[in-house]
Amino acid sequence: METNSIQNVAVLGAGSMGQQIAMLSALGGFTTYLQDINGESLSKAGQSLEARMDDWVKKEKISGEIKQAAFDKLHMTTDLKEAVQSADIVIEAVVEKLDVKQEVFAELDKLAPKEAILATNSSSIVNSKIAEVTERPKKVVNMHFFFPPLVMDCVEVVKSDQTSEETANAAVKFCEQLGRTAVLLEKEIYGFIANRLLFAISNEALYLYENGYADFEDIDIITKKALGHPLGPFELMDLSGIDVGYYANKQLYEETGDPKDKPAKSVEEKVKAGNLGRKTGKGWYEYSGNKKVKK
């Protein structure tokens, strides 16, 4: 598929990641459908995006005309068939669980046009494990946007052994049309590049915390002050969603059986308690709106 043939985009999942990918697509001039099985989630996504774009207009990042044109391109629906029936590319951004993604892709394979690219925004799961439930593995690819997509200028595009060059090139060029830097990985590896580096840091930070070497706040301070990182590992977990890392580790452990890949006990406790970070108002820290207030 040539890039200039991509006109219609579908994004599945109206969470923080999916809604911003959809907005980015609409701002890029593409007719975009944002689909979620939960109508309330779509309503909240619409309100969140309206507020963000109003803020951009006030800060003169975009004009009111650009904002209106983007929202004219953005459509929301709970109907999967409606969202994907004319799509040239579908970007899945649902929960980071392999079985859920496989279920979604099996349905997509039936409903989306045969030439449509099926992309997963998974932050760690390789696309070959998802593509195996479809009849178009050549058309399946990872497009891992970083959070928040409306700000972060990077997308990891990952090929499997079966992903075609045409599909990979179209995905890269599509990212560029969205104003994002796409980096193509020719080989699959769990967690890709960025998250493998982040896993190493966060796993060590969790080890130091759980074994009483330092409080998590102090580990964050050292990471920022000594290493120059904009966020500490615990702040980053809160930003991206503690559940995202938890499910990624859980999936890795299921694949390897290596105890070191199991989710950390403190992370599992937070997920079970529903304290997932900024999106729930409490994680390692507590938040009022989007502002950190205390532990």
Side-chain angles (χ1 to χ4, degrees):
M1 174 179 289
E2 295 296 325
T3 311
N4 57 16
S5 67
I6 295 180
Q7 298 178 14
N8 300 308
V9 179
V11 181
L12 311 185
S16 299
M17 183 67 82
Q19 65 179 254
Q20 290 200 26
I21 295 173
M23 192 76 246
L24 192 63
S25 173
L27 286 167
F30 296 93
T31 298
T32 306
Y33 277 83
L34 176 61
Q35 186 272 343
D36 197 288
I37 58 174
N38 189 318
E40 184 178 353
S41 294
L42 288 170
S43 178
K44 288 180 179 178
Q47 294 170 13
S48 176
L49 292 173
E50 280 278 0
R52 183 177 287 268
M53 291 302 104
D54 283 343
D55 185 56
W56 279 24
V57 172
K58 289 177 183 177
K59 293 179 178 177
E60 300 184 344
K61 290 184 176 182
I62 60 172
S63 66
E65 291 76 14
I66 290 175
K67 175 203 163 186
Q68 187 57 53
F71 276 102
D72 288 344
K73 291 278 188 182
L74 182 61
H75 310 279
M76 299 191 182
T77 181
T78 57
D79 188 334
L80 182 61
K81 182 177 180 180
E82 179 188 7
V84 307
Q85 63 185 352
S86 299
D88 300 307
I89 185 168
V90 182
I91 303 171
E92 166 271 314
V94 303
V95 67
E96 194 75 351
K97 294 182 178 180
L98 178 59
D99 59 338
V100 176
K101 291 181 185 295
Q102 287 178 328
E103 184 179 339
V104 170
F105 270 70
E107 194 66 21
L108 279 180
D109 200 39
K110 299 173 186 174
L111 298 177
K114 291 303 180 185
E115 290 303 306
I117 293 172
L118 305 184
T120 174
N121 181 58
S122 174
S123 60
S124 55
I125 301 171
V126 294
N127 75 75
S128 61
K129 289 187 174 294
I130 302 170
E132 65 186 26
V133 303
T134 77
E135 295 183 1
R136 62 178 93 181
K138 291 182 179 180
K139 291 285 185 180
V140 180
V141 68
N142 285 88
M143 288 176 63
H144 175 215
F145 290 79
F146 290 86
F147 188 78
L150 285 167
V151 176
M152 297 293 284
D153 176 26
C154 191
V155 182
E156 290 177 319
V157 177
V158 189
K159 291 171 57 181
S160 73
D161 289 340
Q162 297 187 76
T163 305
S164 70
E165 290 288 342
E166 182 183 40
T167 296
N169 291 338
V172 167
K173 291 178 182 177
F174 173 66
C175 292
E176 292 170 351
Q177 285 188 301
L178 299 182
R180 293 296 174 264
T181 299
V183 180
L184 179 61
L185 279 64
E186 294 284 351
K187 292 173 60 177
E188 290 186 322
I189 186 169
Y190 188 89
F192 319 138
I193 302 301
N195 275 341
R196 289 183 72 87
L197 298 174
L198 287 175
F199 287 162
I201 294 171
S202 63
N203 287 342
E204 184 63 21
L206 286 161
Y207 171 83
L208 293 169
Y209 166 70
E210 290 189 350
N211 285 277
Y213 291 101
D215 188 68
F216 69 86
E217 288 181 300
D218 292 328
I219 294 171
D220 275 351
I221 290 171
I222 291 169
T223 305
K224 290 185 290 184
K225 297 291 187 180
L227 302 181
H229 292 207
L231 293 174
F234 296 93
E235 291 174 320
L236 189 57
M237 285 182 233
D238 275 0
L239 176 63
S240 60
I242 293 172
D243 55 327
V244 174
Y246 170 76
Y247 288 124
N249 269 117
K250 193 173 180 182
Q251 177 64 36
L252 181 59
Y253 175 62
E254 288 175 3
E255 291 184 20
T256 67
D258 190 334
K260 72 178 178 60
D261 294 326
K262 289 182 70 173
K265 182 180 178 181
S266 56
V267 169
E268 186 170 29
E269 288 172 352
K270 291 191 181 300
V271 171
K272 288 182 177 178
N275 298 327
L276 308 181
R278 293 193 188 193
K279 62 186 175 184
T280 60
K282 185 177 181 181
W284 291 101
Y285 299 89
E286 289 187 11
Y287 301 86
S288 176
N290 200 36
K291 185 177 179 182
K292 186 172 70 174
V293 291
K294 60 179 180 178
K295 267 190 184 181

